[in-house]
Amino acid sequence: MAATTTDHPTLNYPWGDTLPHPGHTLTLRPGVHWVRMPLPFALNHINLWALDDVLDGCPKWTVIDAGVATEAIRTLWHTLWTGELAGKPLGRMLVTHMHPDHVGNAQWLIEHFSGKEPARLWMSAADHLAATLASRETSGYGGDRAADYFQSHGLHHPEGMAKIRERGGYYASMVPDVPYAYRRLMDGMHVQIGERNWTCLAGYGHAPEHMSLYNERDGILISGDMLLPRISTNVSVTDMEPEADALGLFLSSLERMKALPTDTLALPSHGLPFTGIHTRIRQLEDHHRDRLHDVMTACRKAPCTAADMLPILFQRSLDLHQTTFAMGEAVAHLNHLWHLGQVRRWQDSEGIWRFEAV
């Protein structure tokens, strides 16, 4: 995730600072239950959702997102299924996108809490394939390919590069297995969960094919990572698609969300449930416009690498985990300007990509 952005007065948090207690749910609407799990990162939590459902005439749970495969999270899932979720099996495991904090426990939940018939994973095709590949190849997360990619964009810290090379199994350590069979989610698709009909909204730039869910009747958006209230979504270019315009895709995805009503209740993966999504979209657009201005200013002064952008885009110290995301985001901003024709790029004699204003 990128820099924290300032709240606007019209952003509203209907439940204030109230949080679900560990191992418990907080009911936000009838049949919509909020679960909060710890993460072992600077971003220290994820919001997950348990929805009342009926499948094949039997009461079941649909769970949206699964958390990283850590013992702490699995213990809390056990607590939930022997407590507030007891009495109904897992009927459907729906995952918004392929990042480890969302898909990490999907297979484990299916194995441990399904009924007689195993629950099915529901996910977009692009993210299912990306998760399956990353659990084997770790593209974008660590290993030699990621290290070579970051080095080609100017990152040269010897100790850090060595640690990135050692992280060949980093994704797999958080996502030990991805369900082989799945039900494909597609943009515009309708999914009936209990008494609510949800529309899939595809978003791009943060993940290959992120799926948010919108219920028109009650004005609820399960926004995943596409729309967060206090931090800006990480938008990265990785070694697998090095010429991507991830930022352009993300901004276009936000533009599509402006079609939702102003009073929509957003249920984000990080932070607190909120209303005021149009204000939040404007904040994110302003944030990236300002960052692009800063990047362009630097590129006018001298040719720059993505590593040169880190102190410009992130005015705080970064750990290794944050640095890998920050590098991806720096490339995303440079690539966006390149796709717009505002900068040119070339590789120098050492194979380092440099960007310069046209």
Side-chain angles (χ1 to χ4, degrees):
M1 305 296 170
T4 301
T5 56
T6 304
D7 283 340
H8 189 280
T10 58
L11 272 185
N12 180 54
Y13 302 95
W15 289 269
D17 293 327
T18 302
L19 301 173
H21 295 296
H24 295 272
T25 68
L26 180 62
T27 300
L28 304 183
R29 293 284 189 270
V32 178
H33 312 280
W34 177 13
V35 176
R36 190 175 171 97
M37 297 286 190
L39 292 178
F41 315 121
L43 183 60
N44 63 8
H45 72 277
I46 182 170
N47 300 323
L48 313 171
W49 315 98
L51 307 186
D52 289 320
D53 203 356
V54 178
L55 295 169
D56 300 322
C58 299
K60 296 185 179 181
W61 291 108
T62 283
V63 167
I64 299 180
D65 289 337
V68 175
T70 64
E71 285 304 313
I73 289 181
R74 290 181 173 183
T75 297
L76 289 172
W77 276 124
H78 273 295
T79 300
L80 281 162
W81 240 282
T82 56
E84 295 176 17
L85 302 187
K88 291 192 296 186
L90 176 67
R92 175 164 34 196
M93 179 72 250
L94 195 152
V95 172
T96 58
H97 63 294
M98 54 81 66
H99 292 155
D101 49 334
H102 298 263
V103 73
N105 279 313
Q107 178 65 37
W108 181 85
L109 284 168
I110 290 169
E111 291 174 353
H112 284 77
F113 302 113
S114 295
K116 292 181 180 180
E117 293 294 325
R120 177 71 69 215
L121 172 70
W122 292 53
M123 195 174 184
S124 73
D127 275 68
H128 179 261
L129 291 171
T132 301
L133 180 61
S135 67
R136 301 170 184 174
E137 296 286 339
T138 322
S139 175
Y141 291 88
D144 288 337
R145 288 178 181 169
D148 290 344
Y149 171 71
F150 292 137
Q151 188 167 321
S152 76
H153 281 285
L155 192 65
H156 288 302
H157 189 276
E159 183 179 353
M161 296 304 296
K163 288 181 178 179
I164 292 171
R165 292 186 186 281
E166 292 169 1
R167 295 201 316 172
Y170 186 60
Y171 187 94
S173 71
M174 297 181 286
V175 187
D177 199 5
V178 177
Y180 173 76
Y182 76 108
R183 180 79 171 264
R184 182 179 181 181
L185 296 177
M186 299 177 68
D187 186 45
M189 177 178 172
H190 295 283
V191 181
Q192 188 72 31
I193 303 176
E195 63 176 19
R196 290 183 177 86
N197 186 276
W198 300 84
T199 301
C200 294
L201 304 178
Y204 305 94
H206 175 66
E209 193 180 11
H210 182 294
M211 286 293 167
S212 301
L213 296 171
Y214 176 64
N215 174 247
E216 183 178 12
R217 188 195 74 180
D218 295 330
I220 303 172
L221 174 69
I222 298 177
S223 60
D225 278 353
M226 287 300 295
L227 200 57
L228 305 173
R230 294 177 184 265
I231 57 176
S232 62
T233 301
N234 178 262
V235 180
S236 284
V237 174
T238 69
D239 58 284
M240 181 171 285
E241 194 183 357
E243 286 86 33
D245 183 11
L247 182 54
L249 291 172
F250 180 72
L251 293 173
S252 295
S253 299
L254 290 183
E255 185 68 28
R256 292 179 62 205
M257 282 190 172
K258 291 179 181 178
L260 299 180
T262 57
D263 60 352
T264 297
L265 172 65
L267 306 183
S269 292
H270 309 283
L272 300 170
F274 70 99
T275 59
I277 64 168
H278 289 193
T279 293
R280 187 62 186 133
I281 290 169
R282 288 195 298 272
Q283 290 177 351
L284 291 168
E285 290 173 336
D286 291 346
H287 167 76
H288 286 294
R289 182 198 62 223
D290 293 344
R291 299 293 77 74
L292 287 167
H293 173 77
D294 294 340
V295 170
M296 194 68 197
T297 298
C299 290
R300 287 193 182 103
K301 294 178 180 178
C304 296
T305 68
D308 293 332
M309 294 298 108
L310 295 187
I312 295 172
L313 294 174
F314 303 89
Q315 297 175 0
R316 65 186 190 276
S317 60
L318 302 170
D319 61 25
L320 181 63
H321 178 78
Q322 293 167 328
T323 297
T324 58
F325 281 97
M327 281 293 295
E329 185 128 357
V331 178
H333 283 76
L334 288 164
N335 272 13
H336 185 59
L337 294 171
W338 174 55
H339 279 277
L340 291 174
Q342 296 181 18
V343 301
R344 66 186 185 96
R345 68 171 199 161
W346 73 93
Q347 277 187 299
D348 65 18
S349 59
E350 296 180 347
I352 308 300
W353 286 106
R354 300 188 180 277
F355 296 78
E356 182 179 36
V358 174

